[in-house]
Amino acid sequence: MTSSHTPPARRRRLGVAAAAIGMLAALLTAQPAAATPDPDDIPSTAEGSSVERGEVEKAIRSGEFPASGEIDTSSNVRHLANVPKGALRGANSDLAFQGHYAFMGNYDGFVIYDIRRPDKPRVVSEVLCPGAQNDISVAGNLLILSVDSSRSDDTCNSTSQPATEKSSWEGVRVFDISDKTRPRYVAAVETACGSHTHTLVPGKRDLYVYVSSYFPHETFPDCQPPHDGISIVKVPRHAPEKSALVRFAGLFPDGGFPGNPERPEKTPTSGCHDITAFPALKLAAGACMGDGILLDISKPERPKVVERVRDEENFAFWHSATFSNDGRKVVFTDELGGGGGATCNARVGDEKGANAIYHVERRGKKLTLSFQSYYKIPRHQADTENCVAHNGSLIPVKGRDIMVQSWYQGGVSVWDFTDSRRPHEIGYFERGPENTERLTFGGTWSAYYYNGHVYSSDQNGLDVLDIRDRRTDSAKRVRLGEFNAQTQPYIR
């Protein structure tokens, strides 16, 4: 792969310089058209059978499922707005927030929205910079993107290239967003096996970026097994052009979960998928394929595993994690089927492709994770709809544990896990099947609560939801200046 040093100044110009939306079309016409994601970047789907098609159409006629394109909500959720995709046609991915701006990753780059009027979000700029997943976070004047698709180089003009070629590049990109209408590419850092997701751990002078990646292979020159940990990148806040890899932190000296030949859906551990840091508690929770872990991050450059759990019966792929606001609980998600499968139905049941709630307990000096229960949306979905637990965040309500969460075509679920043994849904938003004839990728990737509203990165565009419920109304008074779901704030 190419050098992880910052690209020369002449290569810093974006493939499409972000500009006011009125200038965007002209800029796009001057750039290469290679803006589509790699085929392997989006979860694969299988064509539905004729029996499935008939069942879906029958269920829609009976009112069991909303019709294709139709919106269905609980009585306490209102759909305020949808901003359809613009110039970037790739899959929408994660979200981050700062002030009155929302930032959405897209497999083709990223989009910045002005959300000072949640009912009328406005596109400020779109940046063409292909590289799945373009997982996204913001800190001050900096924006970080994860690239986990093998590229010809580290520029925004790069094209797809096999990971078997030594010159290929994957890693993290750093942008200066002091001018939201014209983000500026300032650094690129190569990391082993790329960067599927990343997590910011803030320091006074530097940002530490925990890079999660996985699936090494002997034929990949820069992604060799064993790959038993995370890359740590340091980004100086006032000199981001000096961003650099500081170390690779091994987390699984024993190799982690080895898999089960008799249960091929259970993925062996070869890295982490996602890590959520809770800086106020100096803890992080990692969802690492076949393992769930707790990390001590009191020394950000040297995270230490202090607890590890497995669920060899029901979990297939430990995907993400969310703490309760007091840090005494962790919700882990299981991405059964890789996000492309129809798993929200009676056949799969309510314990696979679900969330698992764990209590964080202290026994002497040791922290332990104690399983409590599973939660899965109670609304069965069509066999043509990909549906599984995905990204979400807490709704900051005093004295209660309530979360909003994406379930791809299962929509957005608002659920209460105050009683860890009896979690239940209290609200929802969803659309009808993207396709009634075959299993098709779609739906919401991330749904996060930010300053009084829910923002969802749906494949139909940015959705804004309003929850009006006595159990969550107090959260509307909470105001954050910045929010990255994987860097969880402690809310007083």
Side-chain angles (χ1 to χ4, degrees), residues 157-449:
N157 290 318
S158 67
T159 56
S160 179
Q161 182 168 288
T164 52
E165 294 190 24
K166 177 64 178 174
S167 63
S168 295
W169 182 89
E170 299 177 69
V172 295
R173 293 168 170 152
V174 183
F175 289 78
D176 183 318
I177 54 169
S178 51
D179 181 351
K180 303 296 189 295
T181 68
R182 194 174 293 272
R184 184 170 59 91
Y185 188 8
V186 296
V189 181
E190 183 185 26
T191 58
C193 300
S195 175
H196 193 71
T197 66
H198 68 266
T199 304
L200 298 187
V201 179
K204 290 182 179 180
R205 296 183 178 180
D206 305 306
L207 294 172
Y208 291 94
V209 183
Y210 288 2
V211 174
S212 295
S213 56
Y214 51 91
F215 284 158
H217 197 274
E218 291 84 354
T219 63
F220 299 162
D222 298 286
C223 183
Q224 290 284 300
H227 183 73
D228 58 356
I230 58 173
S231 298
I232 301 178
V233 172
K234 183 164 69 174
V235 180
R237 291 179 183 270
H238 301 296
E241 68 278 2
K242 296 181 180 179
S243 299
L245 178 70
V246 292
R247 69 186 296 259
F248 183 87
L251 302 179
F252 302 98
D254 64 350
F257 177 61
N260 183 345
E262 297 180 359
R263 301 282 298 276
E265 77 278 10
K266 298 193 171 300
T267 311
T269 299
S270 61
C272 291
H273 180 276
D274 215 331
I275 293 172
T276 293
F278 202 145
L281 298 181
K282 298 181 180 180
L283 286 177
C288 302
M289 306 176 75
D291 295 272
I293 61 174
L294 278 181
L295 292 164
D296 178 338
I297 59 170
S298 56
K299 297 179 180 179
E301 288 191 26
R302 297 191 175 276
K304 179 182 177 182
V305 177
V306 295
E307 171 68 322
R308 182 170 66 174
V309 291
R310 293 174 181 166
D311 182 344
E312 297 188 38
E313 177 59 32
N314 288 313
F315 261 43
F317 188 91
W318 294 68
H319 177 274
S320 53
T322 303
F323 286 94
S324 60
N325 190 56
D326 61 8
R328 296 180 181 178
K329 301 177 185 179
V330 181
V331 175
F332 288 103
T333 67
D334 172 24
E335 193 182 42
L336 173 66
T343 70
C344 297
N345 50 41
R347 182 176 64 255
V348 175
D350 58 6
E351 294 185 341
K352 292 178 169 61
N355 297 323
I357 303 164
Y358 284 78
H359 281 182
V360 181
E361 299 174 349
R362 184 173 293 277
R363 297 178 181 175
K365 295 183 179 181
K366 180 176 174 58
L367 291 178
T368 64
L369 288 168
S370 172
F371 172 76
Q372 302 299 307
S373 68
Y374 296 105
Y375 168 76
K376 192 170 182 179
I377 57 173
R379 297 166 286 108
H380 285 169
Q381 304 295 304
D383 286 341
T384 62
E385 294 181 285
N386 62 308
C387 177
V388 73
H390 217 240
N391 296 342
S393 74
L394 290 183
I395 298 178
V397 179
K398 183 178 180 179
R400 302 191 71 87
D401 298 316
I402 299 178
M403 187 170 172
V404 60
Q405 184 179 10
S406 285
W407 290 77
Y408 284 116
Q409 287 194 68
V412 175
S413 177
V414 184
W415 62 286
D416 188 322
F417 62 104
T418 306
D419 182 342
S420 301
R421 294 284 187 177
R422 295 177 177 81
H424 57 282
E425 185 170 81
I426 64 172
Y428 68 88
F429 165 89
E430 68 168 304
R431 288 183 171 87
E434 291 288 329
N435 195 307
T436 60
E437 296 185 355
R438 63 182 182 276
L439 179 57
T440 302
F441 177 75
T444 171
W445 184 288
S446 298
Y448 299 140
Y449 190 92

Side-chain angles (χ1 to χ4, degrees), residues 92-155:
N92 287 331
S93 57
D94 212 5
L95 291 163
F97 304 89
Q98 186 181 86
H100 58 263
Y101 295 101
F103 304 78
M104 183 192 288
N106 180 284
Y107 278 44
D108 288 345
F110 64 93
V111 185
I112 302 177
Y113 301 89
D114 184 328
I115 57 170
R116 72 187 77 201
R117 290 195 57 182
D119 60 335
K120 292 186 178 180
R122 181 177 62 85
V123 174
V124 176
S125 57
E126 298 188 68
V127 177
L128 175 63
C129 198
Q133 301 179 138
N134 277 332
D135 191 55
I136 193 167
S137 59
V138 294
N141 288 330
L142 301 178
L143 179 148
I144 315 293
L145 287 181
S146 282
V147 179
D148 193 29
S149 61
S150 190
R151 313 299 301 175
S152 57
D153 56 48
D154 55 18
T155 71

